[in-house]
Amino acid sequence: MIQPEDSVIILANYNADFFDNIFSKMEFLMGMDYINSFASKHKIPVIFTERKLYYQIKNPEVRELRNRKERNRIKNITPRSDYDQGFLKEFENKIKVKNVVSAEKEDIFYHSDLAQEINKLNRNTILLGGFFTDKDIFISSATANIMEFNTFVVSDITSTYSERLYFQSLEMISQFVDVLDTRDLEKYFPP
């Protein structure tokens, strides 16, 4: 059960470079409307994590593997639409980014101060969203579970390159943490 006084919202890679590559822009923005209201009404802190979209990999074999996998993921990207520019402007105005924790790689806990920041708040429940569902959210939700944080992935405030990757990832994520959407939260915490 989610208790707002024990909760923190974490948004991974909440920036335009990542947002530009997702398939479900409108659904994400609508989910963020509720999350903004929910966080404000219940005084839930929001922590942002960020990493470089393309970071340096020293091991040449791992670098080549990653590049090959990224090329395959990008093949699934949704074609651009005339609405994308408007969605991007709305995204940039949706929430003020502050409390940023730098992450080196897809696991937002790896070589970062995130766990310490959460512990400083004396909270144990994580509501996780951001980009990309199939990598950062998948890996980080597993790590959060291993670290014994009560973790919920909020499905409509996360996204990735394609619908297929998104739903496959949510199915796998749901095997070790709870997955819900803002409509589920609204039932217990009306706006």
Side-chain angles (χ1 to χ4, degrees), residues 57-127:
I57 299 173
K58 295 175 186 167
N59 181 323
E61 292 172 7
V62 173
R63 182 173 54 243
E64 177 51 39
L65 174 66
R66 183 183 193 281
N67 289 343
R68 189 174 74 241
K69 297 294 183 183
E70 280 299 302
R71 286 190 299 271
N72 287 336
R73 286 175 73 233
I74 290 171
K75 285 179 189 176
N76 295 310
I77 199 165
T78 303
R80 303 289 179 217
S81 92
D82 295 339
Y83 297 106
D84 283 350
Q85 197 58 37
F87 289 147
L88 184 58
K89 286 181 181 153
E90 189 177 342
F91 171 79
E92 290 171 342
N93 294 321
K94 188 61 65 184
I95 189 169
K96 183 176 170 63
V97 176
K98 54 186 177 182
N99 301 328
V100 178
V101 174
S102 293
E104 282 186 31
K105 300 190 179 197
E106 289 83 357
D107 183 349
I108 59 179
F109 293 95
Y110 177 78
H111 288 196
S112 81
D113 296 327
L114 182 58
Q116 293 89 332
E117 292 299 316
I118 296 167
N119 290 331
K120 280 184 201 173
L121 296 167
N122 199 28
R123 293 170 185 242
N124 194 51
T125 299
I126 294 173
L127 301 173

Side-chain angles (χ1 to χ4, degrees), residues 6-152:
D6 185 47
S7 298
V8 60
I9 296 167
I10 299 176
L11 296 172
N13 306 315
Y14 191 92
N15 70 50
D17 289 338
F18 283 80
F19 180 77
D20 193 42
N21 287 296
I22 67 167
F23 82 95
S24 57
K25 292 177 177 73
M26 188 180 342
E27 183 177 30
F28 178 85
L29 294 169
M30 290 168 49
M32 283 305 300
D33 285 337
Y34 173 80
I35 290 297
N36 284 334
S37 170
F38 177 64
S40 177
K41 182 176 182 179
H42 296 283
K43 297 176 177 47
I44 300 173
V46 179
I47 299 174
F48 297 85
T49 68
E50 66 179 11
R51 69 165 171 90
K52 292 180 182 175
L53 185 56
Y54 301 105
Y55 56 84
Q56 184 178 4
I57 299 173
K58 295 175 186 167
N59 181 323
E61 292 172 7
V62 173
R63 182 173 54 243
E64 177 51 39
L65 174 66
R66 183 183 193 281
N67 289 343
R68 189 174 74 241
K69 297 294 183 183
E70 280 299 302
R71 286 190 299 271
N72 287 336
R73 286 175 73 233
I74 290 171
K75 285 179 189 176
N76 295 310
I77 199 165
T78 303
R80 303 289 179 217
S81 92
D82 295 339
Y83 297 106
D84 283 350
Q85 197 58 37
F87 289 147
L88 184 58
K89 286 181 181 153
E90 189 177 342
F91 171 79
E92 290 171 342
N93 294 321
K94 188 61 65 184
I95 189 169
K96 183 176 170 63
V97 176
K98 54 186 177 182
N99 301 328
V100 178
V101 174
S102 293
E104 282 186 31
K105 300 190 179 197
E106 289 83 357
D107 183 349
I108 59 179
F109 293 95
Y110 177 78
H111 288 196
S112 81
D113 296 327
L114 182 58
Q116 293 89 332
E117 292 299 316
I118 296 167
N119 290 331
K120 280 184 201 173
L121 296 167
N122 199 28
R123 293 170 185 242
N124 194 51
T125 299
I126 294 173
L127 301 173
L128 181 59
F131 314 117
F132 293 116
T133 315
D134 57 318
K135 290 178 79 176
D136 302 67
I137 303 303
F138 179 86
I139 294 166
S140 300
S141 62
T143 300
N145 178 269
I146 290 166
M147 296 175 77
E148 298 186 13
F149 287 111
N150 184 24
T151 306
F152 296 85

